[in-house]
């Protein structure tokens, strides 16, 4: 999943971004509202984490402009303000959730995970495709009861395909959601990642789950021909 973090405190931005990346998320960061708004309008994010007190454009105005522009990215607001009026103001502007500073990183990660589930229309922590099970809370996968060892980005790719199971997902979409926008358009990083993931989730005796749709992309689905 690809996230946007807009936070003007370098220390907090660094610690939160590090925690999110260690949890397998692709993360873009901004230190002021102007840059944050530009990133949010230029990219597709599953969740945006937005501080309210920002230089140039405050977080509430960033949120209002995103909603006015038709952006439905799920937004988690961060703020030191803990009054009912402040929370209501943020929610009325279009926020999906609200977290008061100081906060525990574990709570932030849990709230982000909940918003990611909501973004893909599910409240379940377990994704199932054939005999493949993906625990989105533990960031773990099993095939026919066998644990699959995955690096953080491999897991992120598998979860993204599973959340869109049955849909053809293009290379461009995978790049946008998994690789922080840092992929050379001419590289074969997505094809290489898919190839490695196929090997990890299936043996010679397993039915294939990741199928190539030439010229279109990839689909994760059980019981169909490649």
């Amino acid at each position: 999943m690809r996230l946007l973090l807009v936070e003007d405190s370098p220390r907090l931005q660094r610690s939160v971004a590090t925690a999110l990346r260690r949890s397998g998320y692709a993360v873009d960061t901004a230190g002021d509202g102007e840059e944050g708004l530009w990133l949010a309008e230029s990219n597709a994010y599953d969740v945006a984490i937005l501080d309210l007190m920002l230089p140039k454009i405050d977080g509430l105005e960033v949120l209002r402009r995103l909603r006015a522009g038709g952006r439905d990215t799920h937004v988690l607001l961060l703020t030191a303000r803990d009054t009912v009026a402040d929370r209501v103001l943020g929610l009325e502007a279009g926020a999906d959730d609200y977290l008061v500073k100081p906060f525990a990183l574990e709570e932030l990660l849990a709230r982000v995970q909940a918003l990611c589930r909501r973004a893909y229309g599910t409240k379940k922590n377990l994704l199932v495709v054939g005999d493949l099970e993906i625990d989105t809370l533990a960031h773990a996968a099993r095939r026919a009861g066998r644990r699959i060892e995955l690096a953080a980005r491999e897991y992120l790719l598998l979860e993204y395909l599973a959340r869109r199971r049955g849909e053809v997902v293009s290379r461009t979409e995978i790049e946008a959601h998994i690789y922080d926008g840092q992929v050379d358009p001419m590289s074969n990083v997505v094809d290489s990642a898919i190839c490695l993931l196929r090997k990890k989730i299936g043996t010679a005796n397993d039915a294939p789950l990741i199928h190539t749709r030439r010229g279109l992309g990839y689909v994760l689905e059980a019981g169909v021909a490649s």
Side-chain angles (χ1 to χ4, degrees):
M1 307 296 105
R2 189 176 182 187
L3 312 180
L4 173 63
L5 171 62
V6 189
E7 169 59 57
D8 65 324
S9 165
R11 183 177 179 180
L12 183 58
Q13 182 192 110
R14 188 164 50 249
S15 63
V16 171
T18 297
L20 291 167
R21 289 178 178 128
R22 284 177 178 170
S23 295
Y25 296 104
V27 183
D28 293 336
T29 60
D32 61 67
E34 188 175 273
E35 183 184 11
L37 179 61
W38 180 82
L39 285 170
E41 291 178 334
S42 303
N43 301 284
Y45 294 104
D46 297 294
V47 174
I49 304 167
L50 181 63
D51 187 22
L52 281 183
M53 301 297 290
L54 292 169
K56 298 185 179 179
I57 305 174
D58 68 68
L60 204 58
E61 181 61 21
V62 171
L63 178 57
R64 288 185 178 123
R65 293 190 192 182
L66 287 177
R67 297 304 187 231
R71 288 282 176 172
D72 58 1
T73 304
H74 285 71
V75 174
L76 170 62
L77 291 181
L78 303 180
T79 181
R81 299 171 178 171
D82 191 23
T83 68
V84 172
D86 287 323
R87 291 198 296 272
V88 168
L89 196 60
L91 294 170
E92 287 182 342
D96 297 279
D97 201 357
Y98 203 101
L99 190 57
V100 177
K101 298 178 181 179
F103 53 82
L105 283 174
E106 291 81 3
E107 182 177 3
L108 181 140
L109 292 172
R111 289 174 182 266
V112 167
Q113 180 65 39
L115 289 177
C116 284
R117 289 198 303 270
R118 193 186 304 175
Y120 288 90
T122 179
K123 294 183 179 181
K124 297 180 179 179
N125 292 321
L126 189 67
L127 303 176
V128 179
V129 182
D131 58 354
L132 174 69
E133 295 183 347
I134 302 167
D135 185 336
T136 62
L137 198 59
H139 283 198
R142 293 182 179 275
R143 178 104 193 250
R146 181 186 75 252
R147 184 177 176 85
I148 303 168
E149 298 297 332
L150 298 170
R153 187 154 285 176
E154 292 167 349
Y155 169 81
L156 187 64
L157 174 57
L158 181 61
E159 182 185 326
Y160 181 54
L161 292 174
R163 289 195 182 280
R164 297 191 56 185
R165 58 191 176 278
E167 300 179 28
V168 177
V169 184
S170 70
R171 290 172 177 80
T172 301
E173 288 175 305
I174 292 173
E175 289 171 1
H177 280 82
I178 308 299
Y179 293 99
D180 297 15
Q182 300 300 315
V183 176
D184 184 333
M186 301 304 292
S187 77
N188 66 343
V189 64
V190 172
D191 298 324
S192 297
I194 290 287
C195 182
L196 183 57
L197 188 58
R198 274 193 175 119
K199 292 178 181 178
K200 288 198 171 188
I201 69 171
T203 67
N205 298 321
D206 292 321
L209 291 177
I210 301 177
H211 311 277
T212 301
R213 297 293 179 257
R214 298 198 180 279
L216 299 174
Y218 302 96
V219 58
L220 182 69
E221 192 171 9
V224 298
S226 297

